[in-house]
Amino acid sequence: MEKDETWTSDEYGKSHEGRVGTLLADGSSPKPVYFDSNSGGFGWEVRHWSAYDGGTHPWRPQADALQGECSCGWRGEPRTVDWTNAGDLPFREHGWETVGECQDDWDRHITAVAATTVPLPAELETLLQNVAEAIERLGQDAPTAALKAARTLELIAGRTAHGPAHDARGQDPEKVAASLGLNVGDSRALLARYGGWSHYG
């Protein structure tokens, strides 16, 4: 049985980690399914959507719908599982279309999150995009030169973000986090990394 799978974006990481949630016919979320090991003595819990197929060894409820979920608390539209036309296909196969709809919902959620973050000046955004594309092109012909360019960007980021990190540290943590599209914990970790202090200091 598969372990739970998650989706993340480069920009927001664990702050907006997505997954497929399962809903039963009464609208509730089922508990994880416990599987015993073949040798006995221990087992593991699974909450991957495909576990909820109405099987009996061990007993597990049948999913009525799937929905995209995010670690920030967002929940997508419930997508009804089509058991009628599933035939003999196991849930882990016939459920993929519904899973794809859930991931599309989460993708739209990430787009909505991006729209709430602090905007960059258009000129700077274009410049950054051009630099990224230039490094990618360079990497096709001169990989080490592309690595040097990427390393230079890291050094620039460290130098230029040091002061802003210290300034942002004195602002409302909730507002700083929202402007970056992160949760407060991840926002503080980012400021600490660029500001050069302990995350827990």
Side-chain angles (χ1 to χ4, degrees):
M1 180 58 63
E2 298 181 64
K3 295 182 178 180
D4 199 24
E5 61 183 311
T6 59
W7 315 307
T8 56
S9 65
D10 291 338
E11 295 86 352
Y12 310 116
K14 294 287 187 178
S15 289
H16 290 281
E17 184 176 59
R19 66 178 297 273
V20 178
T22 306
L23 295 175
L24 303 181
D26 63 2
S28 65
S29 297
K31 295 179 180 179
V33 177
Y34 182 81
F35 288 87
D36 284 317
S37 67
N38 291 332
S39 58
F42 67 92
W44 62 95
E45 289 186 336
V46 175
R47 63 175 190 148
H48 189 274
W49 59 270
S50 64
Y52 302 97
D53 59 1
T56 57
H57 299 289
W59 179 86
R60 45 201 186 271
Q62 181 173 288
D64 181 71
L66 303 177
Q67 68 177 168
E69 298 180 351
C70 185
S71 57
C72 72
W74 169 88
R75 296 291 182 270
E77 175 185 348
R79 304 286 183 173
T80 302
V81 176
D82 183 6
W83 292 100
T84 303
N85 296 312
D88 294 329
L89 287 175
F91 188 27
R92 64 177 179 275
E93 294 182 23
H94 77 77
W96 275 110
E97 182 175 350
T98 308
V99 169
E101 294 174 347
C102 294
Q103 187 165 10
D104 288 343
D105 289 341
W106 178 80
D107 287 339
R108 285 188 284 271
H109 163 64
I110 293 300
T111 299
V113 169
T116 66
T117 61
V118 60
L120 295 179
E123 181 180 359
L124 178 57
E125 188 146 17
T126 299
L127 178 60
L128 291 173
Q129 181 63 36
N130 289 339
V131 169
E133 292 174 356
I135 293 176
E136 288 177 356
R137 290 194 299 270
L138 181 61
Q140 296 174 6
D141 300 319
T144 55
L147 288 171
K148 181 178 180 180
R151 175 59 177 155
T152 300
L153 284 181
E154 286 183 342
L155 295 173
I156 292 172
R159 289 195 300 267
T160 58
H162 183 80
H166 281 264
D167 292 341
R169 190 181 191 185
Q171 298 178 11
D172 183 335
E174 294 281 353
K175 291 183 179 179
V176 172
S179 70
L180 296 172
L182 303 175
N183 60 41
V184 172
D186 287 347
S187 174
R188 284 174 171 162
L190 181 68
L191 296 187
R193 178 159 64 88
Y194 281 125
W197 63 81
S198 168
H199 176 28
Y200 300 101

